[in-house]
């Protein structure tokens, strides 16, 4: 197996910087759109053979060092009794606005959560055994709760933030239930063969550091500490987290995901060498030209410092990304990081 990604997560020496791409399976790929023209997104996520097929699509095109199971951060919520549509982002049929709605959320056992996705992990970990590691994932409590309460995506999640400050007991109960289910779900993916896990906290940036620390961080810490001793690297990606200061480093992860707004060097200076760092090429820069892409790859590799750096985008790849740009990106990362000029 190509173990560059796992070695980099453990801050061991590598012959070149490994890379994968957040949301690497998706609409920018014609072969993904082809599958989606026949089935809706939910069916795609719920059919192990199809999710496995789509997970492998980007690996057939690009030299990537890890796969990530195809599902959504909202997938495990169906087993808590929540009905979700996708348009294309998640839409909650009955947003959660009070304690009664929270109390109705089921807390399923480990073996009952998103069983189709766990089956996909099982299929893929067999299929990828001699190729690359498979990453399992889940949404972080804040990000998932934000969708559940707001009912859909939003810029600032004003409805959710008001709920969080006003309905303290209900909010705590909601976050507690999500924490229990997320811990079990990640453990189920590890049991099924995931070689690393990532917690996506895409909307971490909607709260102040003070509020995040007192209202959210303890739950994230519980999730990561529930996986202590599981033997797989734990990645925490908090988007737009610059205002959160040292909080991402206190979550209990082994690898800190960094979005495009923060320089990797500054992240390392702030959090120290006790972590590996993942990121952080701005996905919008894939819509330029090869000169711009290549020089930015060089800059990101340099700021990543070599050892303990996993190259990735600073957020998910955009649906209108040209395939050619992804080839340029992947080739540049391989070429520039193999020369030994970058990092030490
Ligand atoms: O990385 C991968 O290749 C695995 C697949 C994956 C998806 N969603 C597939 C998807 C992963 C890891 C996610 C995580 C996810 N989902 C996050 C965290 C990462 C991030 O980008 O911040 C969030 C916030 C969601 C919620 C969500 N689901 C949104 C905002 C959307 C719309 C996205 C868009 O690109 O418009 C979805 C739907 C979704 N999830 C799609 C895919 C491929 C598009 C669905 C389609 O085919 O119509």
């Amino acid at each position: 197996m190509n173990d560059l990604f796992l070695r980099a997560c453990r801050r061991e020496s590598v012959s070149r910087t490994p890379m994968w791409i957040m949301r690497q399976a998706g609409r920018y790929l014609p072969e993904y759109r082809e599958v989606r023209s026949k089935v809706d997104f939910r069916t795609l996520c719920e059919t192990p053979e199809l999710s496995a097929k789509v997970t492998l699509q980007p690996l057939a095109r690009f030299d990537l060092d890890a796969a990530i199971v195809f599902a959504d951060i909202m997938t495990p919520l169906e087993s808590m009794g929540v009905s979700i549509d996708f348009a294309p982002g998640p839409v909650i049929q009955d947003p959660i606005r009070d304690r009664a709605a929270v109390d109705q959320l089921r807390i399923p056992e480990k073996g009952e959560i998103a069983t189709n996705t766990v089956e996909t992990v099982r299929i893929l970990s067999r299929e990828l055994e001699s190729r690359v590691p498979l990453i399992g994932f889940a949404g972080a409590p804040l990000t998932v709760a934000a969708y559940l309460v707001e009912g859909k995506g939003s810029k600032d999640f004003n409805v959710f933030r008001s709920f969080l400050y006003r309905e303290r007991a209900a909010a705590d109960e909601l976050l507690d239930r999500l924490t229990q289910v997320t811990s079990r779900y990640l453990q189920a993916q590890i049991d099924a063969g995931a070689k690393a896990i990532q917690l996506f906290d895409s909307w971490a940036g909607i709260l102040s550091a003070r509020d995040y620390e007192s209202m959210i961080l303890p739950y994230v810490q519980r999730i990561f500490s529930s996986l202590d001793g599981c033997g797989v690297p734990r990645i925490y990606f908090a988007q737009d987290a610059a205002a959160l200061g040292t909080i991402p480093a206190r979550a209990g992860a082994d690898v800190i995901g960094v979005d495009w707004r923060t320089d990797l060097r500054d992240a390392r200076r702030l959090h120290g060498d006790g972590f590996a760092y993942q990121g952080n090429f701005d996905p919008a820069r894939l819509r330029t030209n090869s000169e711009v892409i290549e020089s930015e790859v060089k800059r990101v590799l340099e700021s990543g410092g070599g050892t303990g750096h996993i190259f990735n985008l600073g957020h998910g790849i955009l649906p209108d990304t040209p395939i050619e740009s992804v080839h340029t990106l992947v080739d540049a990362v391989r070429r520039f990081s193999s020369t030994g000029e970058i990092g030490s």
Side-chain angles (χ1 to χ4, degrees):
M1 157 146 6
N2 165 352
D3 66 349
L4 288 172
F5 164 73
L6 295 174
R7 291 184 60 88
C9 288
R10 297 191 296 253
R11 291 173 283 127
E12 295 167 0
S13 65
V14 285
S15 51
R16 60 178 174 79
T17 303
M19 76 174 293
W20 64 282
I21 296 173
M22 282 194 277
R23 312 283 293 266
Q24 63 193 20
R27 284 171 298 169
Y28 75 105
L29 291 172
E31 56 273 33
Y32 173 84
R33 296 197 297 269
E34 165 72 24
V35 174
R36 272 285 279 110
S37 70
K38 300 193 191 99
V39 293
D40 62 33
F41 179 66
R42 274 255 298 279
T43 308
L44 176 50
C45 289
E46 283 167 10
T47 314
E49 297 70 31
L50 287 180
S51 335
K53 173 180 167 165
V54 164
T55 303
L56 297 173
Q57 286 177 341
L59 303 182
R61 269 194 196 261
F62 313 113
D63 246 331
L64 299 164
D65 300 298
I68 179 161
V69 61
F70 191 84
D72 194 77
I73 57 168
M74 305 307 282
T75 303
L77 293 168
E78 307 260 356
S79 51
M80 296 179 78
V82 181
S83 296
I84 302 152
D85 294 321
F86 288 90
V91 180
I92 311 303
Q93 270 171 20
D94 296 305
I96 289 174
R97 298 282 164 81
D98 55 28
R99 178 67 192 246
V102 173
D103 286 342
Q104 283 192 354
L105 291 173
R106 286 190 63 231
I107 307 178
E109 295 300 326
K110 185 171 76 173
E112 300 173 312
I113 304 166
T115 50
N116 293 330
T117 299
V118 174
E119 176 59 20
T120 307
V121 171
R122 213 169 280 124
I123 294 171
L124 285 166
S125 65
R126 270 198 305 271
E127 214 145 309
L128 290 169
E129 207 173 338
S130 56
R131 295 173 64 190
V132 293
L134 177 70
I135 302 169
F137 75 90
L142 165 72
T143 292
V144 173
Y147 280 114
L148 284 177
V149 174
E150 196 83 21
K152 56 182 174 9
S154 153
K155 187 166 162 287
D156 297 317
F157 289 91
N158 293 324
V159 175
F160 168 69
R161 292 201 338 281
S162 305
F163 171 84
L164 182 67
Y165 307 144
R166 190 184 62 238
E167 308 281 342
R168 290 297 311 131
D172 269 330
E173 184 62 29
L174 174 59
L175 293 162
D176 179 78
R177 289 184 190 215
L178 291 174
T179 295
Q180 293 185 54
V181 174
T182 304
S183 301
R184 290 175 187 179
Y185 177 47
L186 289 170
Q187 187 63 58
Q189 293 179 66
I190 294 168
D191 294 346
K195 298 289 188 293
I197 58 96
Q198 174 157 322
L199 197 64
F200 282 96
D201 211 350
S202 305
W203 310 127
I206 63 174
L207 294 183
S208 70
R210 178 198 302 258
D211 287 331
Y212 194 100
E213 179 168 29
S214 64
M215 298 179 187
I216 307 292
L217 183 62
Y219 296 103
V220 181
Q221 289 171 332
R222 261 172 64 193
I223 292 173
F224 282 122
S225 70
S226 78
L227 303 173
D228 275 347
C230 69
V232 313
R234 296 161 292 184
I235 309 169
Y236 180 50
F237 174 66
Q239 217 235 141
D240 202 3
L244 296 183
T246 60
I247 286 173
R250 287 187 275 142
D254 309 293
V255 181
I256 298 180
V258 181
D259 78 12
W260 76 88
R261 300 169 185 86
T262 299
D263 193 278
L264 286 171
R265 241 187 230 108
D266 292 336
R268 198 183 281 275
R269 214 173 281 136
L270 180 64
H271 305 308
D273 282 327
F275 301 94
Y277 292 86
Q278 178 174 281
N280 70 346
F281 187 102
D282 185 345
R285 219 181 234 111
L286 289 172
R287 299 206 55 200
T288 56
N289 57 56
S290 48
E291 232 164 86
V292 172
I293 293 170
E294 288 178 357
S295 79
E296 179 66 4
V297 164
K298 259 191 206 150
R299 198 198 62 71
V300 170
L301 285 169
E302 272 160 17
S303 63
T307 306
H309 177 213
I310 300 118
F311 191 98
N312 205 317
L313 303 185
H315 196 189
I317 192 165
L318 299 164
D320 57 6
T321 302
I323 302 278
E324 232 5 81
S325 293
V326 184
H327 279 294
T328 304
L329 180 83
V330 175
D331 290 349
V333 173
R334 181 173 281 259
R335 227 162 357 106
F336 299 148
S337 74
S338 313
T339 58
E341 281 169 38
I342 286 154
S344 54

